[in-house]
Amino acid sequence: MEHRSYDPEGDAAALWELKARFEHELGRLGEGEKADTYDGKLTDDYRERYLAWVERCVEHDADCVTVAESSDEDGLAGYVFVLPEEFAMIWDAAVLNELYVRESARGTGLADDLLAAAYECARDQDLPVDRIALDVGRENGRAASVYRREGFEPWGELVARDLD
């Protein structure tokens, strides 16, 4: 599959379709409230805000979002999104924000190709720690196994709480 830098004018609708699938799948990994939370955020307002965020990131680093085109499907087969270094400093390392591969393209090596693009983008960043970090839920076994195979290992522990 061919992969290339994201084009905000030509790829926004297809990227949003993949992002919505990504969120639905994350929600399904959880029980009840988590699924409702993930599905519930996929509003028109969220779509507009998300696509505007991606466009701002691409303005800072044209290669921070790589998309993969599929020859057998309409749209995109997957994408990887690395935060530009200006937005990653809180982590002191490159941040792999999102990686998603459409179900029909899983097992084809596309995730490896997209990760290679993410590493290339990350290597070009000037950050205090020469490392790429990401957040993957424990219940997301398939993704976790891809990251383990790629050499990712635990690096701290992300904790969160609801804002009351």
Side-chain angles (χ1 to χ4, degrees):
M1 282 179 225
E2 179 183 333
H3 60 279
R4 59 177 171 72
S5 295
Y6 171 75
D7 171 18
E9 291 183 25
D11 296 327
L15 179 67
W16 175 251
E17 179 202 344
L18 291 180
K19 170 64 171 170
R21 287 174 182 249
F22 175 67
E23 297 291 346
H24 283 298
E25 288 183 27
L26 285 177
R28 282 197 308 265
L29 291 172
E31 300 287 327
E33 187 177 323
K34 183 175 181 179
D36 293 343
T37 300
Y38 276 85
D39 287 344
K41 78 179 192 180
L42 295 174
T43 64
D44 288 339
D45 180 58
Y46 182 79
R47 177 181 46 80
E48 290 174 21
R49 288 174 45 225
Y50 174 78
L51 292 173
W53 164 244
V54 171
E55 191 166 345
R56 279 194 312 275
C57 288
V58 169
E59 286 171 3
H60 284 269
D61 182 347
D63 295 324
C64 74
V65 179
T66 299
V67 297
E69 296 178 341
S70 175
S71 56
D72 13 345
E73 294 183 37
D74 292 328
L76 301 174
Y79 70 99
V80 67
F81 180 4
V82 176
L83 293 182
E85 71 182 66
E86 292 86 353
F87 304 130
M89 288 298 286
I90 192 168
W91 290 93
D92 288 337
V95 176
L96 197 162
N97 190 54
E98 295 174 352
L99 170 69
Y100 181 77
V101 174
R102 186 185 294 265
E103 193 170 347
S104 61
R106 293 177 189 162
T108 65
L110 179 57
D112 297 331
D113 293 344
L114 290 172
L115 283 168
Y119 304 151
E120 185 176 331
C121 178
R123 283 185 194 103
D124 290 341
Q125 295 184 2
D126 183 21
L127 295 166
V129 177
D130 190 22
R131 171 162 255 180
I132 188 165
L134 60 90
D135 172 31
V136 61
R138 290 186 178 128
E139 67 276 1
N140 195 348
R142 184 177 183 110
S145 69
V146 169
Y147 298 131
R148 273 192 306 275
R149 186 186 77 232
E150 284 285 319
F152 284 80
E153 55 191 34
W155 190 46
E157 177 92 18
L158 183 66
V159 295
R161 73 176 291 268
D162 288 341
L163 294 174
D164 300 322

